[in-house]
Every structure is written in C-alpha cells, then in structure tokens.
Amino acid sequence: MKAARDQTEPVVHDIEAAADQAIAACGGDAREAVKALIVANDFLEAQLEGLWRKVSTGYAQGRLPGTREQRSEPDD
C-alpha cells in the first residue's frame, strides 16, 4: 500500500499550494479567495454545459448528463 500513499502525497501538496496561491492572490483574505473560486467554478460549469450541447448524442452514446433533455429543447 505504500505506492498508493506516494501517489496521494503530491496531490495533497498541490492542493495546499493551490490554496495558498488563491489566498495570496486575494491579498491574504480567505473569504475573498473562496468567492473568487466560486465565480471561477461557475464560469467553468457554464463552459462545460455549452460544450455538452455541442456533442452529439450518438458520439457520447448517452454518457453525458442531460443530453436527451437538451436535444428536446428548441433552439433559440
């Protein structure tokens, strides 16, 4: 099991470093860092939803969430 532990240690270190960078980018204010990350996450989710709409149902073989509902909606 030592190999599994070695694989998770860099991930934990990367997360800690990323958290430190986010807080530092917001002037040391952790609350502002959390708000900025929420905004960034919302932006990425919107981009992902747009990409899901562009992928054909046949190509995805039904593996994308909401593909059938999205296809039944009329195009604007």
Side-chain angles (χ1 to χ4, degrees), residues 5-20:
R5 191 177 318 142
D6 291 341
Q7 291 174 352
T8 59
E9 287 176 12
V11 172
V12 171
H13 176 70
D14 290 345
I15 291 172
E16 292 294 325
D20 291 341

Side-chain angles (χ1 to χ4, degrees), residues 42-52:
D42 286 344
F43 173 75
L44 292 172
E45 284 180 356
Q47 279 189 323
L48 186 58
E49 287 175 16
L51 291 171
W52 281 341

Side-chain angles (χ1 to χ4, degrees), residues 2 11 21 25 28 32 40 43 46 48 67 69 73:
K2 186 176 180 182
V11 172
Q21 286 177 337
E32 290 300 315
F43 173 75
L48 186 58
T67 346
E69 295 88 27
E73 295 176 1

Side-chain angles (χ1 to χ4, degrees), residues 11-41:
V11 172
V12 171
H13 176 70
D14 290 345
I15 291 172
E16 292 294 325
D20 291 341
Q21 286 177 337
I23 293 169
C26 292
D29 188 349
R31 183 175 172 84
E32 290 300 315
V34 170
K35 289 175 11 182
L37 292 170
I38 290 170
V39 168
N41 190 54

